[in-house]
Amino acid sequence: MTTYLLRRLLFIVPTLLGVMVLNFVIVQAAPGGPIERVIAQIKGTQISHTARFSGSTSEFAARNQQQTFSTGSQSSSLSDKYQGSRGIDPELIRDLEKQYGFDQPPLTRFTTMLTNYATFDFGDSFYRDRSVVQLIIDKLPVSISLGLWTFLLVYLISIPLGIRKAVHDGSPFDIASSAVIIIGYAIPGFLFAILLIILFAGGSFFDIFPLRGLTSDNWQSLPWYSKITDYLWHITLPVISMVISGFASLTLLTKNSFLDEIHKTYVITARAKGLSEPRILYGHVFRNAMLIVIAGFPGAFITIFFTGSLLIEVIFSLDGLGLLSFEAALGRDYPVLFATLYIYTLLGLLIKILGDVMYVIIDPRIDFESRTT
């Protein structure tokens, strides 16, 4: 197992490098970069998303709005490089390139980025006047709250429910619970969130739960027990919205996996020897049936923590990592965009290795050392 783990850890480097190279090329080729946004501000045609940001970019544009326009050959060549730059002083464009680091060739910029990322130095945001690390740290409480509670509840509900559905396959309980699962699978999480708001957050019916934020404004002044209550009060609706959309597929996967194992020969033999049903189910079937559930553990972890909460964060005004990444992509905030991509990819690769370790813990018969690839 040690050799296999070392080999997998070494594979992280080329995999991570390939992901970063591909996304770097795509992002560089995409129109509407940060320089184009500053040019739009200077010309008074800034797009709506830019208005959300403040700081060095806006200040830089304000200081340079009085720059004189020229129509020489230098300006003409720059207009081919940046959209909307025709008539802008070439010296201003060069200052912008230096400010954002675009005065260096792409290969040099990419090499510098990887060198810094190797030591987790992600630089500063283009628009927020803060370091990327600090931004990520500030957003972590929201993402951890949503992700951890959702992940725990999804697995705590889905696995026991899937096992019971498999044991009582075809019973009224199985049919009734399948109807609930189909509804949960068919309704998107964000749509269910809107329904919960209408019902319980000041919509057309009840006003029980808050609609915004992770805690109340006076949270710091509350006693410790009220802080816990206030936190759970705020997190209830967002977590329920994510759990409803996440438990359905895992429940069906667990049920089908247990059904496959229950009808195998070794289960029939165990029953013939007089073993009790709980011992057969949890002593023999459980270990084999859970392998396929564990196989989906890494993907479920990454999805719930980093991508599944984006719309939920928007609907409930929760400023987490999902919203940060989305706004960075829209605003071409390259330091934030590439840093979050780097972190998500690295965590995903490490969690996949953790999934293999859990395979061996549950079923020691699995031998990864014998694999050659």
Side-chain angles (χ1 to χ4, degrees):
M1 187 64 181
T2 303
T3 303
Y4 171 76
L5 290 177
L6 290 175
R7 187 165 64 246
R8 287 293 302 273
L9 289 172
L10 290 175
F11 280 155
I12 288 178
V13 176
T15 304
L16 191 59
L17 179 62
V19 171
M20 297 303 294
V21 168
L22 180 62
N23 284 273
F24 184 84
V25 172
I26 293 174
V27 168
Q28 297 301 312
I35 293 181
E36 285 90 340
R37 290 179 173 274
V38 176
I39 291 172
Q41 286 183 331
I42 294 173
K43 286 193 168 184
T45 59
Q46 60 197 61
I47 60 177
S48 60
H49 185 78
T50 307
R52 299 188 62 180
F53 301 111
S54 60
S56 61
T57 300
S58 300
E59 293 169 3
F60 189 94
R63 290 197 305 266
N64 290 281
Q65 275 186 336
Q66 304 301 321
Q67 289 279 1
T68 59
F69 296 155
S70 64
T71 57
S73 59
Q74 286 183 319
S75 180
S76 178
S77 62
L78 285 172
S79 65
D80 296 333
K81 185 176 182 181
Y82 300 109
Q83 295 181 1
S85 62
R86 184 176 297 277
I88 299 292
D89 186 357
E91 187 64 29
L92 174 58
I93 301 297
R94 284 191 288 269
D95 289 342
L96 288 173
E97 287 182 330
K98 185 176 181 180
Q99 177 184 354
Y100 290 112
F102 295 145
D103 55 333
Q104 300 293 328
L107 181 59
T108 302
R109 287 188 279 120
F110 181 72
T111 304
T112 302
M113 182 183 71
L114 288 185
T115 303
N116 294 334
Y117 282 15
T119 58
F120 295 95
D121 178 10
F122 301 118
D124 298 326
S125 168
F126 281 166
Y127 306 114
R128 300 173 187 261
D129 287 335
R130 301 178 66 188
S131 69
V132 175
V133 172
Q134 188 60 49
L135 282 173
I136 293 175
I137 292 174
D138 290 344
K139 311 301 181 183
L140 272 178
V142 173
S143 295
I144 290 177
S145 294
L146 289 177
L148 185 60
W149 286 112
T150 302
F151 187 80
L152 290 176
L153 289 175
V154 164
Y155 273 79
L156 288 175
I157 293 172
S158 299
I159 293 178
L161 180 59
I163 294 174
R164 186 172 180 184
K165 284 174 63 64
V167 173
H168 301 282
D169 183 39
S171 66
F173 169 80
D174 181 42
I175 296 173
S177 59
S178 294
V180 175
I181 289 173
I182 291 173
I183 295 174
Y185 188 81
I187 300 177
F190 73 90
L191 190 60
F192 193 78
I194 295 173
L195 176 62
L196 290 178
I197 290 174
I198 294 173
L199 292 176
F200 302 111
S204 303
F205 296 91
F206 304 101
D207 189 7
I208 301 175
F209 295 97
L211 186 58
R212 299 176 59 86
L214 195 62
T215 56
S216 298
D217 294 336
N218 64 335
W219 188 80
Q220 292 292 345
S221 62
L222 297 175
W224 66 268
Y225 53 87
S226 296
K227 287 183 178 180
I228 296 176
T229 304
D230 182 78
Y231 165 75
L232 294 176
W233 181 47
H234 280 77
I235 207 70
T236 298
L237 293 187
V239 169
I240 291 176
S241 303
M242 296 179 65
V243 168
I244 290 297
S245 61
F247 89 101
S249 57
L250 183 59
T251 301
L252 293 178
L253 178 64
T254 303
K255 175 191 174 181
N256 294 332
S257 178
F258 272 81
L259 280 178
D260 289 341
E261 293 296 325
I262 287 174
H263 294 96
K264 288 186 176 180
T265 305
Y266 75 90
V267 175
I268 298 175
T269 303
R271 285 173 178 158
K273 291 181 178 180
L275 295 180
S276 63
E277 287 296 323
R279 184 175 179 183
I280 294 173
L281 183 62
Y282 295 103
H284 299 277
V285 174
F286 184 85
R287 184 176 63 181
N288 297 324
M290 284 300 294
L291 288 176
I292 191 171
V293 177
I294 292 175
F297 173 86
F301 182 89
I302 293 296
T303 299
I304 291 174
F305 266 77
F306 300 117
T307 60
S309 62
L310 172 58
L311 292 176
I312 302 300
E313 289 179 11
V314 173
I315 292 172
F316 289 99
S317 300
L318 299 172
D319 195 7
L321 288 177
L323 186 59
L324 175 67
S325 303
F326 179 70
E327 289 187 342
L330 289 182
R332 302 296 193 271
D333 195 349
Y334 293 158
V336 177
L337 179 63
F338 285 117
T340 52
L341 174 67
Y342 179 87
I343 293 173
Y344 293 170
T345 305
L346 181 61
L347 284 176
L349 293 172
L350 291 175
I351 290 172
K352 286 182 181 297
I353 297 176
L354 177 62
D356 290 343
V357 174
M358 294 184 66
Y359 266 126
V360 176
I361 293 175
I362 291 181
D363 190 351
R365 296 172 300 173
I366 295 178
D367 182 17
F368 288 109
E369 296 287 358
S370 61
R371 296 177 56 175
T372 57
T373 59

